[in-house]
Amino acid sequence: MKLSWILFLTAAISGGLLTSIAGDASVDDIFTQSQTALGASGAPRGNRLAQNEQNPDAGTIAEQIRATQRPPRSSQQGTDSFPAPIVSQVQPPPTGEDGTGQSAPEQPIEPEVDESALRYFAARGDRARLEAEIARLRTLYPNWTPPPDPLAVPENRDRQLEDMWQLYSEGHYAEVRKAIAERLARESGWQPPPDLLERLQVAESRVRLVNASNLKQYSTVIEIGAATSSLLNCGDVDVLWRIAEAFIRTDRRQRGVDAYTYILKNCTNSQERSATIEKAAELLPYGSVQALLALEQTGQSGSREFDGIRNELARRFVGEAGEKPELTIDSQYLERIRGLAAREQRASDSLLLGWYYLRRNNMAEAERWFRASREKENSAAASQGLAVALIARNAAAEAEEVMYGWRSDSEEATATYLAATANLLSGDPLPSIPEPVLQRMAVAVLQEKYVPTAQQLGWYARALDQPQTAIRWFETALQWKPDDEPSAYGLAITKQQINDRAGVQALQRAWAGRSERIANLALLTARTPSSAPTRPPVSSGTSIQARPSASPDGPSPKAVVAGREAGPAETRRSIGCSTTAQITGLSSDQALARGWCLMDLNRPIEAAAAFEVALQSRTQRVREDAAYGQSLAYLRLGLTSKAAVAATKAPQSSQRAVELQVAILADYAISAFDAGRYREALIYLDQRSELRPESADLTILRGYSYMNLDRPRDALRIFEAVAATGNRDASRGMADVRAMLQLGGGT
């Protein structure tokens, strides 16, 4: 006999939980009716006898039944919000009079109890169904007492009826219906037992409810539950689970919580209670599950009933928090997973922690746990998480290597790999990428048509002075995304670099009104080499000179930047550089004038201090001039980083901002060259050349950078171009390169 039908029958005969819905009552009211399913002891009626199954000393079935005999129970109204069963009520007969003419005391007529099913289950040794049948009869007939020995119940001599019961017990409900119909047709006076018909209807309802649940027809599940209240009780918790899920799936979460709450408050089977929590955790959010966990019972030994599933619950909660950064979970769950990861060494536990910390921007912890997970099992998920953490700390080269093998595992994995490639190519300083890595990155980009990396390949090629390669990549990116302005800008300045004026003009027409920086390339294109500003020798470490005026006390000096007037225009105050007044005692205007005077005397340290005082002014113009002057002073001292910071202390005009940026980038390039960071020097030179044409001394610096990168032919091309203008430094560079080539060095 199948276990599923045994469980079903227990449900069908144990007393329901839902009242029938009358009239137009909504099915939403199913779980808000008052409960009357609890007996005097507080345990569910449908589950009291079932508790004896856990007693190994219960003895024979007859002994178990005798052990359950007790006085009739009084009706008791419970306090749970879950609904009550339907209990048959027998009305007493009308009051009569005895022979003396006095009213006789009311004597209720005891209804006849059909015990045929009781005897049937006892004869077959079906203890679970026997106990469920006793519970059902007690619910229907409160004054009924089970027979001491069910086997002593007179045998039902109706063999046809016995066959019907047999078919019913085996779950062949359609055959039972057929047998009833055939007998009714043969025997006009025969009527099927109401008990059998009721059981049959409940069993068929359960089958329909389960089928509807399996087919995800959740509204039908609720309707069947409402119409068949006797299904809903602790004897068939599976039905209660399905009802709870149906409510949750139809956006009535609290009703589902009520169903789970009913089970935990009233049902006693420990395995079913634990399973209830597990099912609830699958469907309900973290907060709702915590409310259900509060109903956990503690044994006499102090052990908690859900200890056996607490690890899995912790994994579920940490996993949920790993998907929802806004979710805050109890630290006990996080600590439990950390302990499990250390003890059991499961890759999945480390992976859960990795995603948890990643979603909270704790990249150091995330990287630690993703690495631990990959050491145990190199999976796509662990590699993806590790790559994201590596990108966050600018370790894109390792991220690319980690994800390359998993790049095709999923859309998310592909996106992560491509993000790593884009970040690798845009690194600062420019990374040295091995040729095989560049090749595989290029192949992946072409396969996926990924614009960001295609654009970065263009910038990378440009930084390596490979303009034709850069042009191809920029054009490819624009084919995939015609409105990608950064790629269009990269294409424009690269065409400008190779003197493709027609190409630049075509791009300017195409992007007219959409890109100001592409439009402004016309100013640079119109310049000739002779109009480029003069600069001091590269070795001086300065790129901006402030020319003194004829007299310290005369008209205001002009701060000349790259040969262009950019200084303040107001008349110098009466206070001069020879005064002994402390700078801190000067007004903002006086401090500003003092700063420019000190710059004229080539005393930049003192000038920077004076400009700092002027920066406290409430006048916008004074603050702008002070920030500009202090930036010039720091550049004079070779403190390029401080100059960059000073330039941001007050907004500057576009002209001043460009001039300062040009000077700062030039100084960065020179500093990088002097420190032996030749690729970095080339990057700064490229950035500067986007703002102003490159001067001869910086072009020579570019040539020597190529030489030091073992690219003498690129260096020779540059030196030859500058030497044609008569530059002696370029001629010396040519000689150095040719000597290098004769020795067979470089390419």
Side-chain angles (χ1 to χ4, degrees):
M1 193 173 297
K2 297 181 180 179
L3 178 60
S4 60
W5 294 119
I6 294 176
L7 293 175
F8 149 72
L9 189 58
T10 303
I13 61 180
S14 295
L17 295 177
L18 297 185
T19 59
S20 298
I21 296 188
D24 297 327
S26 168
V27 292
D28 282 351
D29 296 331
I30 294 176
F31 292 130
T32 57
Q33 302 174 32
S34 61
Q35 176 196 359
T36 58
L38 299 182
S41 67
R45 289 173 179 167
N47 230 31
R48 289 183 178 174
L49 293 176
Q51 295 177 25
N52 292 325
E53 296 181 32
Q54 304 174 11
N55 183 4
D57 301 323
T60 64
I61 293 177
E63 290 172 343
Q64 293 176 47
I65 295 175
R66 284 192 292 271
T68 61
Q69 294 183 18
R70 55 179 178 267
R73 294 175 296 179
S74 60
S75 176
Q76 178 178 339
Q77 181 71 26
T79 59
D80 198 290
S81 61
F82 216 67
I86 300 175
V87 180
S88 300
Q89 301 293 333
V90 180
Q91 298 297 328
T95 303
E97 295 184 355
D98 58 14
T100 62
Q102 297 180 354
S103 297
E106 295 182 2
Q107 295 293 335
I109 299 176
E110 293 293 339
E112 182 178 353
V113 180
D114 183 359
E115 298 179 346
S116 59
L118 194 71
R119 185 200 60 78
Y120 179 82
F121 296 135
R124 283 156 179 76
D126 193 339
R127 185 179 66 181
R129 291 192 179 191
L130 178 64
E131 293 173 349
E133 173 66 3
I134 291 174
R136 187 187 75 88
L137 292 176
R138 276 198 167 131
T139 300
L140 294 175
Y141 311 107
N143 294 325
W144 174 77
T145 301
D149 185 358
L151 296 178
V153 176
E155 182 178 357
N156 184 357
R157 300 185 183 279
D158 189 337
R159 298 304 308 170
Q160 295 183 62
L161 185 58
E162 286 287 324
D163 292 340
M164 294 178 190
W165 279 113
Q166 178 65 30
L167 291 171
Y168 168 82
S169 67
E170 295 173 355
H172 302 310
Y173 307 129
E175 295 182 30
V176 176
R177 292 284 187 191
K178 179 181 178 182
I180 291 174
E182 290 176 348
R183 185 167 182 180
L184 285 171
R186 291 194 308 268
E187 303 178 21
S188 59
W190 181 81
Q191 290 295 325
D195 184 48
L196 177 60
L197 293 177
E198 180 186 350
R199 289 169 174 276
L200 194 56
Q201 184 273 328
V202 172
E204 291 169 337
S205 295
R206 185 187 191 280
V207 171
R208 287 187 289 111
L209 185 148
V210 171
N211 288 339
S213 177
N214 292 339
L215 294 173
K216 304 185 186 306
Q217 299 172 351
Y218 299 115
S219 295
T220 302
V221 172
I222 296 173
E223 291 172 1
I224 295 173
T228 318
S229 60
S230 59
L231 274 176
L232 306 181
N233 58 78
C234 291
D236 194 348
V237 175
D238 179 65
V239 171
L240 297 178
W241 290 335
R242 293 175 185 272
I243 290 287
E245 180 182 8
F247 275 125
I248 296 170
R249 300 291 191 188
T250 53
D251 298 326
R252 286 170 280 187
R253 180 188 298 169
Q254 186 54 47
R255 306 289 185 172
V257 173
D258 291 342
Y260 291 132
T261 300
Y262 173 83
I263 296 172
L264 295 174
K265 284 187 175 181
N266 300 288
C267 303
T268 59
N269 184 287
S270 59
Q271 294 181 346
E272 292 175 345
R273 290 173 60 83
S274 294
T276 297
I277 291 293
E278 292 180 292
K279 289 182 177 294
E282 292 177 0
L283 299 172
L284 295 173
Y286 171 81
S288 298
V289 179
Q290 298 310 299
L292 295 175
L293 283 171
L295 301 175
E296 181 179 25
Q297 297 177 356
T298 303
Q300 294 181 351
S301 63
S303 62
R304 295 180 295 178
E305 63 174 323
F306 299 143
D307 281 346
I309 61 172
R310 209 167 300 277
N311 288 347
E312 291 307 315
L313 289 176
R315 291 184 172 107
R316 180 175 296 279
F317 297 148
V318 173
E320 185 178 352
E323 297 175 358
K324 302 175 182 177
E326 71 281 2
L327 176 61
T328 301
I329 63 173
D330 194 302
S331 60
Q332 64 168 310
Y333 300 119
L334 197 61
E335 291 304 316
R336 181 175 287 269
I337 297 302
R338 293 171 71 95
L340 288 172
R343 292 192 305 273
E344 299 183 4
Q345 294 293 303
R346 290 171 56 173
S348 57
D349 289 334
S350 298
L351 189 61
L352 286 174
L353 291 168
W355 287 113
Y356 175 87
Y357 287 113
L358 185 71
R359 291 288 191 269
R360 284 150 184 81
N361 293 319
N362 188 340
M363 295 303 175
E365 280 294 292
E367 181 178 342
R368 168 194 170 190
W369 289 108
F370 283 131
R371 286 190 185 280
S373 181
R374 287 187 86 241
E375 289 173 0
K376 302 177 185 74
E377 179 184 349
N378 187 0
S379 65
S383 299
Q384 183 178 343
L386 178 58
V388 173
L390 290 170
I391 292 172
R393 71 169 178 88
N394 298 321
E398 185 180 357
E400 187 277 338
E401 181 181 359
V402 165
M403 280 305 298
Y404 179 72
W406 297 101
R407 67 193 183 284
S408 302
D409 186 75
S410 64
E411 291 184 6
E412 293 80 6
T414 301
T416 303
Y417 175 73
L418 293 173
T421 63
N423 280 273
L424 173 57
L425 290 164
S426 62
D428 185 14
L430 191 71
S432 177
I433 305 176
E435 184 65 27
V437 176
L438 271 176
Q439 183 65 29
R440 73 190 189 190
M441 287 166 53
V443 170
V445 169
L446 292 172
Q447 287 177 343
E448 300 297 331
K449 296 184 178 180
Y450 189 63
V451 173
T453 301
Q455 179 199 128
Q456 290 301 330
L457 282 167
W459 291 112
Y460 190 81
R462 178 177 165 78
L464 296 180
D465 199 23
Q466 299 174 10
Q468 296 301 331
T469 301
I471 287 173
R472 286 196 296 271
W473 277 113
F474 287 134
E475 290 176 339
T476 300
L478 287 170
Q479 288 176 2
W480 296 337
K481 188 181 179 184
D483 63 344
D484 187 46
E485 193 272 349
S487 293
Y489 178 68
L491 180 61
I493 63 174
T494 308
K495 284 182 176 291
Q496 182 192 51
Q497 179 183 351
I498 63 174
N499 295 321
D500 182 1
R501 296 191 177 186
V504 172
Q505 292 171 357
L507 282 166
Q508 288 177 323
R509 288 192 297 270
W511 286 85
R514 293 190 292 164
S515 174
E516 182 179 354
R517 59 179 177 172
I518 292 178
N520 289 337
L521 285 174
L523 299 175
L524 298 179
T525 305
R527 292 177 182 265
T528 61
S530 61
S531 66
T534 58
R535 298 211 172 255
V538 170
S539 60
S540 69
T542 61
S543 56
I544 296 180
Q545 294 291 322
R547 298 180 182 178
S549 62
S551 170
D553 298 317
S556 171
K558 307 293 185 178
V560 180
V561 182
R564 301 183 61 182
E565 182 180 16
E570 86 280 7
T571 302
R572 191 188 301 270
R573 303 293 181 181
S574 60
I575 186 169
C577 299
S578 60
T579 180
T580 59
Q582 293 291 327
I583 293 177
T584 55
L586 301 177
S587 67
S588 298
D589 287 345
Q590 291 173 334
L592 180 64
R594 179 71 173 271
W596 289 118
C597 179
L598 291 168
M599 287 290 288
D600 291 344
L601 297 177
N602 199 23
R603 293 158 61 182
I605 295 178
E606 297 170 79
F611 288 131
E612 184 65 30
V613 173
L615 278 167
Q616 309 306 314
S617 174
R618 296 182 179 180
T619 304
Q620 180 68 24
R621 177 191 58 79
V622 174
R623 289 199 306 273
E624 290 177 6
D625 289 346
Y628 180 62
Q630 191 177 64
S631 184
L632 295 179
Y634 284 135
L635 285 170
R636 183 85 60 86
L637 293 166
L639 302 175
T640 311
S641 297
K642 285 192 173 184
V645 173
T648 64
K649 290 183 178 180
Q652 300 293 323
S653 66
S654 58
Q655 177 179 324
R656 282 185 176 180
V658 170
E659 298 295 352
L660 287 174
Q661 188 175 4
V662 166
I664 290 170
L665 288 172
D667 276 12
Y668 276 145
I670 296 168
S671 298
F673 182 90
D674 292 342
R677 302 192 303 271
Y678 305 113
R679 291 187 184 278
E680 186 177 341
L682 289 172
I683 292 174
Y684 289 129
L685 289 173
D686 284 341
Q687 292 175 348
R688 184 201 170 282
S689 67
E690 294 174 11
L691 301 172
R692 290 286 184 272
E694 201 164 82
S695 60
D697 57 341
L698 292 179
T699 303
I700 292 172
L701 184 73
R702 180 185 293 274
Y704 278 106
S705 295
Y706 284 135
M707 281 189 63
N708 284 285
L709 290 172
D710 200 23
R711 294 169 57 184
R713 296 190 184 280
D714 292 330
L716 180 61
R717 176 175 54 81
I718 288 177
F719 288 139
E720 287 176 341
V722 181
T725 66
N727 187 289
R728 294 183 179 181
D729 291 331
S731 298
R732 284 194 295 270
M734 288 173 53
D736 292 339
V737 172
R738 286 169 179 164
M740 182 178 181
L741 290 172
Q742 288 177 357
L743 294 174
T747 57

